[in-house]
Amino acid sequence: MEFEAVLAIAMFLTAIGALLMGFPVALTLGGVALIFALIGIAFGVFPESFLLAFPSRIEGGSIMQSQTLIAVPLFVIMGVILERSRVAEDLLAIASRLLSRVRGGLGYAVVLVGTLLAASTGIVGATVITMTLIALPSMLRQGYDPRLATGTIAASGTLGQIIPPSIVLILLADAISNAASQASLRTGGGSAVVSVGDLFAGALIPGLILVALYLLWITVMAFLRPQACPPARLESDTPALTFREVALGLGAPLALIVAVLGSILGGIAPPTEAAAIGAGGAILLAGLRLAREAESRLTPVMLLGLASLVLILLLRNLLDLRAGSATHTGAEAAGMAITVLACLALFAAVGAGLLVLRRARQLQPALKSAVHITSMVFLILIGASLFSLVFRGFDGDELVAGLLAAIPGGKWGALAMAMLVMFVLGFFLDFIEIVFVVVPLVAPPLILMGFDPIWLGILMALNLQTSFLTPPFGFALFYLRGAAPPSVTTMQIWQGALPFIGLQLLLILIVATVPSLATWLPSIAAR
């Protein structure tokens, strides 16, 4: 084995070992890469020009100039604001009361609310902890089997990995797009682009199938073990739900999700602009939620803003509102004028929402949390870029491609091995490290073998989601254990997760067997 290959393998193992020991991810990736680069330069096996070109690569390459990554802070702000304004509490309370007379209704409510939170926040840890604190005590009081209750909450919390808009899918889209471009350039086919919208569209059908499988499992449990998920017992003095409560508590978050995903899938707005819609809508929803508690006079302004947002999207979809167009019909001119007025109303409503959040002392903590998460993501991305650069400088990408090609079973054996490695690493590493370190190494050779990039990205996302739920190291189980009451044992949490792990493995098998589940919707959206 050549010395460069030895250094590449040693660098990868050193980085994994340092991460498992708990060292900071970004500094570990960048520091290990820098140390091995200096070793390579000292022995004359690593070109010094690679390091000299790194700053310009960050500033003018695929990081600072990436339109895809601009959506990350906007979706993070959307998720953090919805989390801190306790929208999840309203969602669960309303859904559980609507399904109170149904056996297993509280379990259905948890899955449905987990789906909505996944589509609203895309942050797994926050969703699991929030659902555990809100739903688990109620499920235990109602007589639910702790195994079924904890398994339902943990599985529903991990939906943020696969239900768009997901931070995982955004970062995975950037990694898969770079891998597809590398594969295309190697074959002389030019540059290939996999957009965030492609992965969002590709993940939608598998994500909804997974939700249906969760609901089906609760239905089966309701028939086979009715004592494990009894109907909810409401207090006699519990007031009936009003239309206003359902519309604002359940309908408004659903409308925001439809607006964000619909604008992407319908071609109305690219993901970055759709993320801005989501952030603005989240501010409005959070402002409305807090304004109701404080009986603020700004509520009508924010309701007008929500209506204006819907109106803007409708007009954009129905009329040609481009100012640079040579000719406009009377309807289009009127639509442009109405859109300008609606935009002004929307800006005023967002300002009112920010004011309400500030008065409730939620704005500054939410923005600090968003800055912290965004900074962490981009610092890891810079460290991972240096790691990938040095690894390729040692011809590590060629080494990985050769290893995958040598695995028995052809391309399917290579895919199985890559998925197994990602699954095991998902026990110990966060999805960000895996997406930035492992995916750039294994995705290009797999795409060269003939696998569709979108389909491959969805399989990887489902794989990471499954590892997040698998005992004994699944991150979702750690989150749940930390927030669950002491009466719930760790073994009960592990046992509760097993059926849902089986459902996720079944979905991976289905998507692997029927690739059109992941590729059909992106092909329709691209037309």
Side-chain angles (χ1 to χ4, degrees):
M1 183 179 291
E2 295 182 358
F3 188 52
E4 295 94 323
V6 173
L7 288 177
I9 295 173
M11 185 178 77
F12 184 80
L13 294 178
T14 302
I16 296 298
L19 291 174
L20 294 180
M21 292 172 64
F23 288 97
V25 176
L27 300 182
T28 295
L29 294 176
V32 168
L34 187 59
I35 290 172
F36 275 85
L38 295 176
I39 294 174
I41 292 173
F43 283 94
V45 295
F46 183 82
E48 186 177 349
S49 58
F50 274 43
L51 288 183
L52 297 176
F54 181 69
S56 60
R57 181 183 178 187
I58 295 296
E59 184 177 355
S62 60
I63 297 180
M64 299 301 292
Q65 302 295 326
S66 174
Q67 293 296 316
T68 298
L69 296 178
I70 295 177
V72 172
L74 293 172
F75 277 125
V76 169
I77 289 174
M78 174 182 170
V80 170
I81 287 180
L82 288 178
E83 175 199 349
R84 296 194 63 89
S85 60
R86 302 195 303 276
V87 171
E89 296 181 24
D90 289 347
L91 281 172
L92 186 62
I94 293 171
S96 59
R97 287 166 67 183
L98 288 173
L99 299 170
S100 60
R101 299 184 182 276
V102 180
R103 186 174 298 279
L106 195 52
Y108 296 139
V110 167
V111 173
L112 295 175
V113 171
T115 304
L116 293 177
L117 288 179
S120 301
T121 65
I123 303 174
V124 172
T127 303
V128 173
I129 293 173
T130 301
M131 297 290 287
T132 302
L133 294 175
I134 299 172
L136 185 57
S138 177
M139 297 179 82
L140 296 177
R141 283 197 306 268
Q142 298 293 345
Y144 271 69
D145 187 321
R147 294 170 295 180
L148 179 61
T150 54
T152 302
I153 290 173
S156 302
T158 60
L159 289 172
Q161 293 276 86
I162 192 65
I163 298 286
S166 163
I167 303 298
V168 179
L169 294 177
I170 295 173
L171 301 178
L172 194 57
D174 185 67
I176 290 291
S177 180
N178 292 334
S181 297
Q182 292 178 31
S184 297
L185 291 174
R186 289 183 188 180
T187 57
S191 179
V193 177
V194 178
S195 69
V196 175
D198 291 334
L199 277 198
F200 279 7
L204 190 57
I205 293 178
L208 294 179
I209 292 176
L210 186 59
V211 173
L213 290 175
Y214 288 173
L215 295 174
L216 181 61
W217 173 250
I218 296 174
T219 302
V220 171
M221 293 297 293
F223 278 100
L224 298 181
R225 296 179 56 209
Q227 73 280 2
C229 47
R233 301 183 301 273
L234 296 179
E235 301 294 335
S236 57
D237 57 347
T238 301
L241 282 172
T242 65
F243 175 79
R244 178 185 175 86
E245 287 177 322
V246 175
L248 292 179
L250 189 60
L254 185 59
L256 176 61
I257 295 166
V258 171
V260 174
L261 292 183
S263 60
I264 296 174
L265 301 180
I268 299 174
T272 302
E273 284 78 354
I277 294 173
I283 292 172
L284 291 179
L285 291 186
L288 282 171
R289 165 71 169 72
L290 298 174
R292 292 204 310 273
E293 292 182 350
E295 298 182 356
S296 172
R297 296 180 181 179
L298 295 174
T299 300
V301 178
M302 288 180 284
L303 288 174
L304 178 62
L306 283 177
S308 300
L309 177 58
V310 174
L311 180 61
I312 292 169
L313 293 175
L314 287 175
L315 291 175
R316 167 63 181 82
N317 196 39
L318 296 175
L319 300 173
D320 183 4
L321 302 180
R322 293 174 297 175
S325 181
T327 59
H328 284 294
T329 64
E332 290 170 347
M336 293 175 66
I338 295 173
T339 301
V340 171
L341 295 176
C343 287
L344 294 176
L346 178 59
F347 294 152
V350 171
L354 291 172
L355 182 59
V356 171
L357 285 167
R358 184 176 180 276
R359 289 175 177 174
R361 297 183 179 179
Q362 294 294 333
L363 180 60
Q364 186 175 2
L367 293 180
K368 280 186 176 180
S369 179
V371 169
H372 176 77
I373 295 173
T374 304
S375 301
M376 176 193 68
V377 169
F378 280 89
L379 188 59
I380 292 174
L381 177 55
I382 292 173
S385 297
L386 179 58
F387 184 89
S388 299
L389 178 68
V390 176
F391 192 80
R392 282 198 290 270
F394 290 131
D395 293 328
D397 51 346
E398 300 293 339
L399 176 64
V400 172
L403 291 174
L404 290 177
I407 293 174
K411 68 176 186 178
W412 292 102
L415 176 63
M417 179 56 66
M419 296 285 282
L420 179 61
V421 170
M422 292 180 64
F423 180 80
V424 174
L425 289 178
F427 293 159
F428 311 104
L429 305 180
D430 196 27
F431 71 89
I432 300 177
E433 296 96 276
I434 296 175
V435 168
F436 288 158
V437 177
V438 181
V439 173
L441 300 180
V442 301
L446 290 175
I447 294 173
L448 281 171
M449 292 177 182
F451 291 117
D452 183 89
I454 298 175
W455 173 79
L456 182 63
I458 301 304
L459 279 183
M460 288 179 171
L462 290 171
N463 187 23
L464 289 176
Q465 181 190 6
T466 306
S467 68
F468 262 49
L469 193 60
T470 302
F473 302 110
F475 279 109
L477 305 182
F478 285 132
Y479 293 139
L480 196 151
R481 173 68 277 174
S487 60
V488 178
T489 66
T490 301
M491 186 57 65
Q492 287 175 326
I493 295 175
W494 290 1
Q495 292 173 344
L498 291 179
F500 294 94
I501 295 170
L503 295 176
Q504 294 187 179
L505 292 175
L506 175 62
L507 179 62
I508 291 176
L509 181 61
I510 292 173
V511 174
T513 307
V514 188
S516 58
L517 290 174
T519 59
W520 174 75
L521 195 55
S523 66
I524 296 297
R527 295 178 183 174

